[in-house]
Amino acid sequence: MTARTNRIALLTDAAIELIADGGMRALTHRAVDGRAGMPPGTTSAYLRTRQSLIEAVVGRLAERDRADLAEYELPTGPPPPTPAPRLDGNDLDGLAAGVAEVLDRWLSTGRSRTLARYACLLEAVHRPELRGILQHGTGLRVQARDLLTRAGATDPDRQGDQFVAFVDGLLFDRLVGAGALSAPQPGSAASRADLSAAVRTLLRALTGS
């Protein structure tokens, strides 16, 4: 990383924590300077407008999410040029466990990032110029379609999009919905097992396995 890239990463990480703590209204250039421990004016020197700041935050969220997916060996790049091997039932169980590990991290140690991600998406609803934020979710849909193709789904394009939507709903429910009242404590083995069971049920329903 260059010095500029490192500095922007530091600023956007601080911005993510601010958004998680106080919502989008807490996001100001001055507040980011303070949270990052930087002199006043640092954030505006690198990210001049509020829109550029939000876009940088979204890019940082996507970057850190990709790192999580790579750590758990869930594919993040474009599909291979030739068809990958078919997935069987045991592969689906392993995939469910891997997805559950990522979801549990996003509910526990990555909770601030998840809250910030949803806040940015809601901001885009009211600000059309920020709708490009939604494009950061397309990569996951591409990979879900590829995985469901390999698993023998009858309509992998549609079902891949459904899979991502269902999993995102599961995450939202456990984070801020009614599921937070009854689900196991995030970060625990019980949480990962419960999430894995839910994802496995979804995969088997979509693929008829």
Side-chain angles (χ1 to χ4, degrees):
M1 283 190 180
T2 65
R4 174 182 173 82
T5 302
N6 282 329
R7 182 61 58 86
I8 291 177
L10 178 63
L11 294 171
T12 49
D13 284 343
I16 288 167
E17 295 298 327
L18 279 170
I19 295 170
D21 288 347
M24 295 303 293
R25 285 190 291 183
L27 184 66
T28 66
H29 287 77
R30 182 185 296 274
V32 174
D33 290 338
R35 179 61 70 97
M38 294 291 178
T42 301
T43 304
S44 59
Y46 285 89
L47 302 163
R48 189 169 185 81
T49 65
R50 179 178 173 82
Q51 180 170 337
S52 64
L53 175 57
I54 294 173
E55 290 174 348
V57 166
V58 173
R60 180 63 170 162
L61 288 169
E63 175 187 342
R64 294 181 65 182
D65 287 352
R66 284 193 296 270
D68 283 344
L69 294 170
E71 180 177 339
Y72 290 107
E73 299 183 348
L74 298 177
T76 57
T82 57
R86 285 288 297 269
L87 297 171
D88 62 21
N90 290 330
D91 293 323
L92 292 182
D93 290 344
L95 176 60
V99 172
E101 290 278 355
V102 173
L103 293 178
D104 186 63
R105 171 176 286 195
W106 290 349
L107 289 168
S108 53
T109 56
R111 183 174 185 273
S112 292
R113 278 190 283 144
T114 309
L115 287 170
R117 185 186 309 112
Y118 287 131
C120 288
L121 289 170
L122 288 172
E123 180 86 351
V125 172
H126 304 291
R127 298 182 61 184
E129 70 272 19
L130 296 177
R131 295 289 287 177
I133 287 173
L134 300 177
Q135 294 301 316
H136 288 279
T138 58
L140 291 176
R141 291 175 181 267
V142 170
Q143 291 304 318
R145 294 167 193 161
D146 176 56
L147 289 169
L148 287 171
T149 297
R150 293 166 54 197
T154 57
D155 189 356
D157 287 349
R158 183 172 62 88
Q159 291 167 313
D161 290 354
Q162 290 173 343
F163 174 77
V164 173
F166 290 152
V167 169
D168 196 40
L170 175 63
L171 181 65
F172 187 88
D173 179 64
R174 297 295 175 89
L175 183 71
V176 297
L181 301 176
S182 58
Q185 180 68 28
S188 67
S191 174
R192 291 186 289 275
D194 191 59
L195 290 165
S196 182
V199 175
R200 184 168 57 250
T201 298
L202 173 60
L203 283 170
R204 292 186 179 278
L206 290 173
T207 62
S209 300

